Amino acid sequence: MNVHSTRSMSEGAMMCALTVVLALLNRFSGFLLESAFPWIYAFPMLIYAARYGFRIALLPAFCACLCALFFSSWTSLFYLVSALLLGVLYGGLLHRGAPHALLFAVTFLTAAVCNLITMVLFAALFGQDVSADLAMIDQLLASMGPTGARWFDARSILLSVLLLLSFLQAICVHVGAQLLLVRLKLNVHRMKNLLQLNAPRWLGSAFLWIWLLYLLQSVIELQVDIRSLLQTLAFCALFVSIVYGALTAFAFLTLRRAGKGMVLLLYVLLFVPIINLLFALLGEADLLFGLRRKMIRGVNHGTFGKL
């Protein structure tokens, strides 16, 4: 047995023990971790897989599942297994030098599938009827008049919330992993700053078409499934536009060297119902016209902030 294998076994045992400690903390805290931060289980195996690869990380991940089996409930074990799978996949791809876009996409898809399984499986096991709940929400929307039933659909709202939660979980895992790996001095590609996180222009054009079709559904008769899909796409497009609008605003404040009070105010305004629509318009303008690229060009040529 050489030094490399001994070190990998020792670190694997440490990461396995750390995962079990997190599972114990979840049980002693009244299942707080799995209710609010189920993705936190992924970090120990993520670090190990990023250092040694996907195949070597499978054994300590399996050992952590066996150890947690003795004191965890089946719901806690599901959260643990799904988070360990996410950590091993993310770390294995990072070990192979995968780009950030692929890492984020894999994290988002894994989180979305796990959230969907959690919603369907847990509802069935606990005797809840998801279709009945959706029908009740549709009746509530119908009581608001024909406008509420036409512009909002229970299935589209549920799917949009599921995708939103998966997106937020992917951000937490991706950003947290990058910060941890940089602190541990592992060889990782640094993330881009706010001015460099650009999207293709066709995405902004696609959002405009989606919103146009969403507004035209009041005069166009669509099937229920198509209308639900269109509403889901419209909600997702709105959320992505708000994110890019926030990135543009933060980039502007950063280049202007604004104080912490302005940054804090911007955080608060993001959650104000009417104001965040202005962020969506700003994000759409950034997607179509490349506002942050023009900011960089203005800084390089000394014209930033001038009319």
Side-chain angles (χ1 to χ4, degrees):
M1 183 178 296
N2 53 29
V3 177
H4 178 75
S5 61
T6 304
R7 181 176 180 179
S8 63
M9 290 176 60
S10 301
E11 291 186 6
M14 292 176 58
M15 294 304 173
C16 178
L18 183 58
T19 304
V20 174
V21 169
L22 291 175
L24 285 172
L25 288 176
N26 173 65
R27 184 174 181 86
F28 293 148
S29 61
F31 306 102
L32 176 63
L33 290 181
E34 69 180 49
S35 301
F37 316 104
W39 40 266
I40 201 171
Y41 292 126
F43 288 115
M45 291 305 160
L46 187 152
I47 296 173
Y48 185 78
R51 187 186 295 271
Y52 295 105
F54 176 80
R55 291 185 300 175
I56 300 179
L58 288 177
L59 180 59
F62 179 73
C63 294
C65 294
L66 288 181
C67 294
L69 184 62
F70 292 102
F71 55 86
S72 298
S73 61
W74 65 269
T75 54
S76 302
L77 191 63
F78 173 79
Y79 286 118
L80 178 64
V81 171
S82 59
L84 290 178
L85 177 62
L86 173 59
V88 172
L89 285 176
Y90 188 100
L93 290 174
L94 191 62
H95 181 75
R96 293 178 175 269
H100 288 284
L102 179 60
L103 293 173
F104 186 83
V106 170
T107 306
F108 171 74
L109 292 176
T110 306
V113 171
C114 292
N115 288 331
L116 182 61
I117 293 176
T118 302
M119 179 184 67
V120 176
L121 180 62
F122 286 9
L125 291 175
F126 287 109
Q128 298 178 354
D129 190 358
V130 179
S131 60
D133 294 337
L134 293 178
M136 182 179 63
I137 297 175
D138 283 331
Q139 292 178 0
L140 178 62
L141 293 174
S143 64
M144 299 169 58
T147 303
R150 179 174 293 274
W151 293 103
F152 302 101
D153 182 76
R155 289 183 295 177
S156 62
I157 294 175
L158 180 62
L159 185 58
S160 301
V161 172
L162 187 145
L163 294 177
L164 173 60
L165 292 177
S166 303
F167 183 81
L168 295 177
Q169 290 180 11
I171 290 179
C172 294
V173 173
H174 185 62
V175 176
Q178 295 298 319
L179 292 176
L180 280 175
L181 295 174
V182 169
R183 294 290 294 178
L184 293 174
K185 297 181 180 180
L186 294 179
N187 187 18
V188 295
H189 299 289
R190 295 296 184 95
M191 290 190 302
K192 297 179 179 179
N193 56 37
L194 296 181
L195 293 173
Q196 296 173 334
L197 291 175
N198 298 317
R201 189 174 181 178
W202 60 263
L203 186 62
S205 301
F207 287 171
L208 286 179
W209 282 106
I210 290 173
W211 289 335
L212 179 62
L213 293 175
Y214 177 76
L215 294 176
L216 290 178
Q217 67 174 335
S218 59
V219 296
I220 300 177
E221 292 294 334
L222 299 175
Q223 296 181 359
V224 177
D225 295 335
I226 297 178
R227 188 171 68 246
S228 299
L229 178 61
L230 181 60
Q231 291 175 357
T232 303
L233 293 176
F235 292 151
C236 293
L238 178 63
F239 175 72
V240 174
S241 299
I242 292 175
V243 170
Y244 274 96
L247 290 177
T248 305
F250 281 124
F252 179 80
L253 293 180
T254 301
L255 293 176
R256 297 289 293 184
R257 297 181 179 179
K260 295 182 179 180
M262 291 295 298
V263 177
L264 181 61
L265 178 62
L266 185 60
Y267 272 115
V268 175
L269 292 177
L270 281 174
F271 298 95
V272 179
I274 303 300
I275 302 299
N276 51 25
L277 296 180
L278 299 179
F279 283 102
L281 295 178
L282 180 61
E284 182 65 21
D286 177 62
L287 291 172
L288 291 176
F289 305 111
L291 297 182
R292 282 173 292 156
R293 288 194 296 268
K294 293 182 179 180
M295 291 181 189
I296 296 177
R297 193 181 306 120
V299 171
N300 294 333
H301 293 85
T303 60
F304 177 74
K306 298 181 181 180
L307 297 177

